[in-house]
Amino acid sequence: MLTAIMVDGPFFIRRIRQIFPASVHYDAKLMADLVWRLSAAHLFERNQPKRHLFRIFFYDTPVFQHKVVLPISKQSIDLSKSREGVFRAAFQKQLQKKRKLAVKLGEPRDIENWKLTEDALADLLGKRITVDDLADEDFTPDIAPRGLELRMGVDLATLAYKKHVQQVVLLTGDGAFSSAAELLRHEGIDVVLDPMWQNIPEELFTYIDGLRSTCPPAERAADFLARINSDGADSEELQGT
């Protein structure tokens, strides 16, 4: 069975930062390895025939190039030199080195708002800091990319009509995929949703054939990382699939 895996990039990064320790959040190589490892894990399932990878499609925002005024200090900076900008550029370069992985970018948008990073939000909720303790590095641009859903929809339609694959795995928690998933199922393609342990609305089950998350839940994330480090296995070893 040939399997295509479609990864909603902004969703994937957000969930990894919610699930995994802070040491992972801006590690471009490890984040890219997690994309490959967690995607490739869908090729193996107990009591099921082995799947073969058609391609991983990773949909992401372009590297930030805007000049903006920071929310706390009010200084003007080039976002490409910010922590998030540097991470995103390095992360996309790491992804482009992966075998059978295509990076697809949306269109950039102007920045209208800022949002707290996952670490800062966790510290606030845990009462380890107060609002007065927040600094510029605790915020990230709230940029909703244009074109990601369209690109994913076009690719899904192409896979369906050209019969390239027999299965599609969607790593996302967004219900916007429902129409495309319905088309895939109509064409006889098995559709699996991986929401990375995020709860999904009940109605989404009518558009998929299976639900499976390959990342560890938050309480086992640290052990998962330790196991990766101890066995010395890099995701590259899986790429003969």
Side-chain angles (χ1 to χ4, degrees):
M1 177 184 288
L2 268 179
T3 298
I5 301 171
M6 328 289 276
V7 184
D8 177 343
F11 171 80
F12 182 91
I13 293 170
R14 183 171 70 253
R15 287 298 291 154
I16 290 295
R17 289 174 174 172
Q18 290 169 345
I19 293 170
F20 282 83
S23 59
V24 178
H25 297 186
Y26 292 93
D27 187 326
K29 184 179 186 305
L30 182 53
M31 187 75 79
D33 284 345
L34 285 172
V35 172
W36 220 103
R37 181 180 289 270
L38 297 179
S39 296
H42 279 285
L43 304 176
F44 307 92
E45 188 174 2
R46 187 174 298 175
N47 300 323
Q48 295 292 329
K50 179 184 174 182
R51 286 89 169 188
H52 297 278
L53 180 64
F54 175 75
R55 186 163 289 113
I56 299 169
F57 298 89
F58 190 90
Y59 301 85
D60 199 10
T61 59
V63 176
F64 306 132
Q65 300 291 344
H66 306 70
K67 289 188 176 181
V68 297
V69 176
L70 294 172
I72 301 296
S73 67
K74 305 304 179 184
Q75 292 181 333
S76 178
I77 67 158
D78 181 346
L79 271 182
S80 65
K81 297 180 175 62
S82 69
R83 188 183 189 190
E84 186 68 27
V86 170
F87 162 76
R88 216 53 166 245
F91 172 57
Q92 290 175 8
K93 286 182 180 178
Q94 289 290 332
L95 286 176
Q96 288 164 357
K97 297 176 183 178
K98 301 293 185 186
R99 183 171 177 266
K100 286 192 175 182
L101 191 152
V103 177
K104 304 220 168 184
L105 302 179
E107 300 174 13
R109 296 185 68 174
D110 293 334
I111 295 174
E112 299 177 355
N113 298 297
W114 295 82
K115 61 183 179 182
L116 285 170
T117 64
E118 298 293 344
D119 294 345
L121 180 59
D123 286 341
L124 273 176
L125 295 175
K127 298 184 178 180
R128 292 181 288 274
I129 63 172
T130 68
V131 172
D132 292 336
D133 297 319
L134 292 174
D136 289 325
E137 56 266 25
D138 295 318
F139 293 85
T140 188
D142 189 4
I143 302 178
R146 292 178 297 192
L148 283 190
E149 290 180 8
L150 176 61
R151 287 174 186 269
M152 182 180 285
V154 169
D155 288 341
L156 287 170
T158 300
L159 291 173
Y161 289 132
K162 292 193 175 181
K163 306 292 186 183
H164 286 317
V165 300
Q166 291 78 50
Q167 182 182 67
V168 169
V169 177
L170 301 168
L171 270 80
T172 183
D174 188 352
F177 71 86
S178 56
S179 295
E182 191 171 27
L183 168 64
L184 291 170
R185 297 180 80 205
H186 179 74
E187 293 298 316
I189 295 172
D190 185 57
V191 179
V192 176
L193 176 64
D194 182 346
M196 301 177 72
W197 298 107
Q198 177 173 288
N199 292 329
I200 64 169
E202 285 292 324
E203 58 267 23
L204 290 188
F205 284 96
T206 63
Y207 298 103
I208 61 176
D209 296 299
L211 183 73
R212 182 187 181 213
S213 290
T214 58
C215 72
E219 62 270 18
R220 297 210 304 266
D223 291 340
F224 180 84
L225 286 177
R227 192 160 60 250
I228 292 175
N229 293 331
S230 64
D231 65 18
D234 186 84
S235 62
E236 303 299 330
E237 297 177 12
L238 299 172
Q239 296 186 8
T241 58

